[in-house]
Amino acid sequence: IRLSQAAQQKRIQYANDHKDDSWERVLFVDESYIELTPPPNSKNDGIYVQANEQPPAQVKDKHPIRINVISAVGMGLRCKIHIFDGTMTAALYVKYLKKLIHEASKDHFGGKDWTLVQDSASFHTAKVVSSMLEEEGISFIKNKTGQQALLT
């Protein structure tokens, strides 16, 4: 994916702001999907036709089959990959975030202090997520104004 000039500058600024942070006790959480019906690749997908025939049009699936996943990583840490149905919501994110936090905190960080990093997806910043993080005593990387520094 190509990043806009503005997005590139934001990432450079984030890296500069946090280059001296200790990353050994940081947990990165994100979700994505795996598309099981990939779009046609006109450069590599060969279609053989007679010299006087037109190749059939390549049609992209309007509703491709996807597997939704969420997991977390850190230095020396890979949490389980969780598969979920439907669209991610704040409530669903909290459900899986609790599982990932428990796994990382118990198995890797020994229950001691560590920091959460997540991107700026709307459900990451929802009140229910912020409340859960506060209740659990989870810290996150802060920007210069003391707000959660989100990856963009």
Side-chain angles (χ1 to χ4, degrees), residues 7 27 29-30 34 41 46 51 55 61 68-69 74 93 109-110 125 136 141 148 150-151:
L27 183 68
V29 176
D30 204 9
I34 301 164
N41 182 339
D61 224 343
N68 299 308
V69 296
Y93 183 66
F109 298 127
T125 58
E136 297 284 334
I141 292 182
Q148 183 175 186
L150 300 166
L151 296 173

Side-chain angles (χ1 to χ4, degrees), residues 21-126:
D21 291 357
S22 174
W23 295 97
E24 291 84 17
R25 301 188 67 76
V26 173
L27 183 68
F28 296 88
V29 176
D30 204 9
E31 64 292 323
S32 190
Y33 62 86
I34 301 164
E35 202 165 289
L36 298 180
T37 53
N41 182 339
S42 61
K43 292 183 181 180
N44 296 326
D45 291 346
I47 299 174
Y48 296 94
V49 295
Q50 297 294 327
N52 58 350
E53 291 180 348
Q54 288 291 326
Q58 293 183 328
V59 180
K60 183 176 178 182
D61 224 343
K62 283 188 179 182
H63 304 285
I65 299 170
R66 293 180 173 175
I67 295 175
N68 299 308
V69 296
I70 183 170
S71 191
V73 297
M75 287 184 75
L77 165 68
R78 291 183 310 230
C79 290
K80 293 176 184 170
I81 296 174
H82 297 272
I83 298 171
F84 64 93
D85 289 328
T87 303
M88 182 60 78
T89 63
L92 190 58
Y93 183 66
V94 165
K95 173 185 168 183
Y96 285 105
L97 188 56
K98 283 183 176 182
K99 289 180 182 185
L100 294 167
I101 286 171
H102 178 76
E103 181 182 346
S105 180
K106 182 181 125 214
D107 298 342
H108 187 71
F109 298 127
K112 297 179 182 165
D113 290 340
W114 54 275
T115 303
L116 175 69
V117 175
Q118 53 190 358
D119 64 28
S120 57
S122 60
F123 47 83
H124 290 182
T125 58

